[in-house]
Every structure is written in structure tokens, then in C-alpha cells.
Amino acid sequence: MNQTLAFLLGCAAGIALASAGWAFAARRRRSGSAAEDLEGVEGRAQLLSKIAHELKNPIMSVKGLAATGARLYGSMSDDERKEFFQLIDSEAGRLQSIAEATSTALKIDAGVIRYDLRADDVGGLVEEVAWRARVGQHAMVVRAEQELVADIDRARLTEVLGHLIENAAKYSPPDAPIEVRAHRSGDGDVVVDVVDRGPGIPPEQREAVFEKYASWRPAGYEETPGAGLGLFICREHLKAHGGRIDIEDEEDSGTMLRVTLPAGG
């Protein structure tokens, strides 16, 4: 068990750090002066420090669970062993998510992501993503108009919608519903609203949450895990679509994240 976990952790950390090296090398090739090179070195050191910090907690959690499980395995019941493996799987998944988000963010910085934009049914994609999103015990309310066609990269927009829905669940009370609406605006744009019933995002934080490694958390959710990359990635993906993402207050408290895409087809 320990050897398997060590291999998993090594692979996840290697993905993040190799991606960092690749992205920074690409950026350095574009650098034109000694001052820019020095700034790049300092930026690399700072970013790698942030990556290491984000990886540390899930690595320590998995390591502790594996060590405890190995020591007590013989005295555990089958249910207890199953619970330990489920906890390890959850933390390993968290580690994988951090590595994948870091890789994507660095590729965005390096300008190496390519988007395959094609006319597609956004309403159908919203329903597909919403109903398979990991939202725990939250009730889901999904309303999608028909014939909402826009030019999209299906894989990247799936990533955006999945993150927004799961983020809404993460920052909402367990019994609060998550609402997803897909509709056409008065200007003809395709709009997707993801609405939660959480504490909301104050106006002074609404730009900061889109920064890389954003650290702000609403009151009561200060210890909620996350690399702080999701909204940065969402915004950059939507820019590549010619779209945008906005944060708005919801009437019944909470937050509405609104995705706007130019109509296509």
C-alpha cells in the first residue's frame, strides 16, 4: 500500500513541477533582457514555492493515513479498512486536482493551449455537466433553453462549468440548492448562470478571486481546501471563447457566477 501511494504522490508532484519547468522555459525563450530574466527567476521561485505549499497538505494527509492504516491494518474491521481507503482516495484525488490545475494554469501563462471552437449546443452541455457534477447532498435545479448554440471548445467549457458548479456546492450550506440556468440574453448572447446560497463574495474581493492562487475565503469557509486556480482558469478559458465571467449578487443571498458567450452557429 505504501509503495503504491508513494508512486501516486510522486507522479502527481512530478506532473506539477514538470509543467512548471515547461511553462517557464517557454516564457524564458521569449524573454528579451537581463532584467526580464531576473524577474522571471524570482517569479519562478515564488510560484514553485506556492506549488509546494499547495501540494504539502494532501501529501501529508495521504502519508498519515497510509502510515496509520499500515500500522493498524491487522486490528481493523473490514468497514474500517474501507473507510481508510476511501479517505486516501479522496486526498489522492485532491492532490491530482491540484496538479492538473497547476499544469493548466502554467500552460495558459505560456500560451500553449489551443482551443478548437465549433458550433455546439450549450444548453445540452450544461445539462450533461450539471447532472454529473460532484455536489454532495445539494439539490440541483437545472433549467436550459433549447437551441442555445455558440462556438465553443467542448472540453474546455465542460471544465469551466464543472468547476463553477462544484465551487458553488463547496461554498454553500449542505442543505442549500444549486441552481444552473442556461438562456439567451436580450442581446442574443448565450448565458449560463450558476447560483448558490452561500455567504457571497463582497465587491472588494471580486477581482482578487480570479487571480492565480487566490487565497480569500468567505467567513465560515476559511479552511476550505483549494489551490485558488479554478476561477483564474475559468476566466482565461472564457476569454479564449470571446466570452467573459461576472460575479453578481443573488436576490435570495448567495452568489451568481454568470458566463456569457457570443452566439454562434
Side-chain angles (χ1 to χ4, degrees):
M1 181 169 64
N2 280 333
Q3 289 179 343
T4 301
L5 290 169
F7 176 76
L8 174 63
L9 295 174
C11 287
I15 290 170
L17 295 178
S19 299
W22 177 34
F24 288 138
R27 183 179 297 171
R28 185 159 190 172
R29 285 195 296 271
R30 298 196 301 267
S31 179
S33 70
E36 288 174 339
D37 283 346
L38 178 59
E39 182 180 351
V41 169
E42 293 173 348
R44 285 195 292 276
Q46 183 179 20
L47 189 50
L48 286 172
S49 176
K50 289 180 178 179
I51 293 170
H53 176 75
E54 294 301 330
L55 292 172
K56 180 180 178 180
N57 286 342
I59 287 174
M60 294 302 295
S61 180
V62 172
K63 186 175 184 301
L65 286 165
T68 302
R71 187 175 69 253
L72 302 178
Y73 188 83
S75 61
M76 286 180 173
S77 67
D78 288 343
D79 287 343
E80 288 171 332
R81 290 170 184 163
K82 182 178 180 181
E83 182 179 359
F84 253 75
F85 279 113
Q86 288 173 335
L87 289 170
I88 290 170
D89 181 63
S90 176
E91 288 299 305
R94 179 181 162 201
L95 182 59
Q96 182 181 9
S97 295
I98 292 171
E100 289 174 349
T102 301
S103 175
T104 300
L106 291 167
K107 289 175 183 176
I108 288 171
D109 272 353
V112 296
I113 291 184
R114 298 291 176 262
Y115 295 86
D116 182 15
L117 302 181
R118 302 185 184 189
D120 208 335
D121 175 18
V122 176
L125 181 62
V126 165
E127 291 185 329
E128 178 184 326
V129 174
W131 291 120
R132 72 173 188 231
R134 296 172 295 182
V135 296
Q137 299 302 310
H138 293 273
M140 285 291 298
V141 179
V142 183
R143 299 187 179 94
E145 293 180 4
Q146 301 299 310
E147 299 182 2
L148 291 176
V149 178
D151 293 330
I152 63 172
D153 182 308
R154 190 175 181 87
R156 297 302 179 185
L157 188 58
T158 294
E159 188 178 345
V160 169
L161 297 173
H163 175 79
L164 295 182
I165 295 168
E166 291 173 13
N167 215 44
K170 186 188 297 185
Y171 293 102
S172 292
D175 58 348
I178 306 299
E179 186 174 357
V180 184
R181 305 185 294 251
H183 56 96
R184 194 174 300 281
S185 73
D187 297 330
D189 292 331
V190 173
V191 177
V192 181
D193 299 327
V194 179
V195 183
D196 66 44
R197 296 292 181 268
I201 302 173
E204 64 272 17
Q205 295 293 342
R206 291 184 181 179
E207 182 59 29
V209 296
F210 289 103
E211 296 174 357
K212 288 195 296 290
Y213 295 101
S215 59
W216 181 82
R217 299 286 189 277
Y221 295 84
E222 292 88 350
E223 301 304 317
T224 301
L229 287 170
L231 289 179
F232 165 77
I233 292 171
C234 288
R235 183 170 65 175
E236 295 303 310
H237 282 343
L238 291 169
K239 283 181 182 178
H241 283 72
R244 68 179 188 274
I245 181 169
D246 300 296
I247 299 174
E248 301 184 16
D249 293 321
E250 181 62 10
E251 293 181 1
D252 299 327
S253 79
T255 300
M256 178 171 70
L257 284 158
R258 168 163 286 178
V259 169
T260 303
L261 297 164

